[in-house]
Amino acid sequence: MDTIGQNSVEKTSAASTVKQAPKARLGFLDRWLTLWILLAMVVGVLLGTVVPGLADSLDALSVGTTNVPLAICMMLMLYPPLAKVRYAELPRVFADRRALGTMLLFCAVIGPALMFVLSVVFLHDMPDYMTGLILIGIAPCVAMVIVWNGLAGGDAEYCAGFVAVNAILQVLLYAPAAWFYATLLPGLLGLPGVSVSLGIGQVAGTVMFYLVIPFAAGALGRLVLERARGAEWYEKRYLPRISHLSLVALLATIVLMFSLKGGEIVQLPLDAVRIAIPLVIYFCVMFFSSFLMARRVGFDYPKVASIAFTAAGNNFELAIAVAVATFGLASGEAFSAVVGPLV
């Protein structure tokens, strides 16, 4: 009877503890993130419109397909969420074939095909804009998805694993996919096709700047600082101090991206709306279909969120860089690629 009574007390105490546990809430800056992003877009557009020659000056600060100021902002944006990843758990992610298979189905198969269909349906009479959307569709997200996943309480290790797999696939497959979707298929359908002159080295360089460096900084930083100061200090003192760096760098990234094409967005608002329509459809279909499928497969919420954000995200930085390098900064392809992050 004493044992039964003790167990009952323990269960009651545990239940009480669970009820009293505070719910996790986003901080003030994170809760109003949509507002800050909209303001950053406005600032970027105004800078690109008001400051003459700003876009050309920013574009001149590029190495190959990589814009250096944008790459620096991206690296600073990605470091805090990548610093939170427990890299020792990544083998568990790579061993989960169901999760990887679900993610790859959407990122490597459904996503590029869906974007191609939408771009043809909505923009077949404007082949430059159509090509810009195709360049977005064949580039699964390897950057900002980590930030969104963290805000949504997704599984950080799974998201990092997905991003690593997508980065490798982009280095190997982006150029062939660009030829297939931008050159071969439009020709078979009687539509104007384009030749995207792109080598594996160019894509690898872009991925290196935007992803590999912050990945290495996150992994090595965790290893060195945990050994020097301890895991508790790292988790409870260091990570909270650097968390806002991601938000500041994100807003700076958006300002830079929109200042590059701000003038055209103001001059061609109806074109921007027309490009945005297939993008909105694409993002909604990819997010909700991947979310529901992952849920049906039986994954818990953190994994479902990681899969859905990865499926619905795209590497706009790579798409913009390729469009600018291949067709020029003033091209319709580059303008179309910039509308992606706007949506």
Side-chain angles (χ1 to χ4, degrees), residues 8 35 52-53 59 172 253 257 266 311 321 336:
S8 177
L35 176 61
D59 187 53
L172 298 176
T253 300
M257 292 177 74
V266 172
S336 182

Side-chain angles (χ1 to χ4, degrees), residues 114-137:
L114 175 61
M115 187 69 88
F116 176 80
V117 171
L118 290 172
S119 64
V120 169
V121 170
F122 286 92
L123 298 167
H124 59 274
D125 59 329
M126 306 183 80
D128 50 351
Y129 292 165
M130 182 183 78
T131 300
L133 287 195
I134 290 173
L135 293 177
I136 292 175

Side-chain angles (χ1 to χ4, degrees), residues 30 117 151 172 215 334 341:
D30 290 337
V117 171
L151 290 172
L172 298 176
F215 244 115

Side-chain angles (χ1 to χ4, degrees), residues 3-55:
T3 302
I4 294 174
Q6 183 178 357
N7 289 341
S8 177
V9 170
E10 289 175 353
K11 289 179 180 179
T12 303
S13 176
S16 175
T17 302
V18 170
K19 289 179 181 178
Q20 294 174 1
K23 292 182 178 180
R25 290 192 64 188
L26 294 177
F28 173 77
L29 293 176
D30 290 337
R31 270 182 308 173
W32 291 95
L33 181 61
T34 302
L35 176 61
W36 314 141
I37 289 176
L38 290 173
L39 291 175
M41 290 178 180
V42 171
V43 171
V45 170
L46 289 176
L47 285 174
T49 306
V50 174
V51 181
L54 177 62

Side-chain angles (χ1 to χ4, degrees), residues 7 10 28 57 64 72 106 136 152 181 188 224 228 230 264 269 277 285 288 293 295 327:
N7 289 341
E10 289 175 353
F28 173 77
S57 299
I72 292 173
F106 282 92
I136 292 175
Y181 283 105
L188 294 176
V224 171
E264 291 191 26
I277 292 172
V285 170
F288 289 109
M293 181 174 178
R295 190 74 171 164
F327 304 102

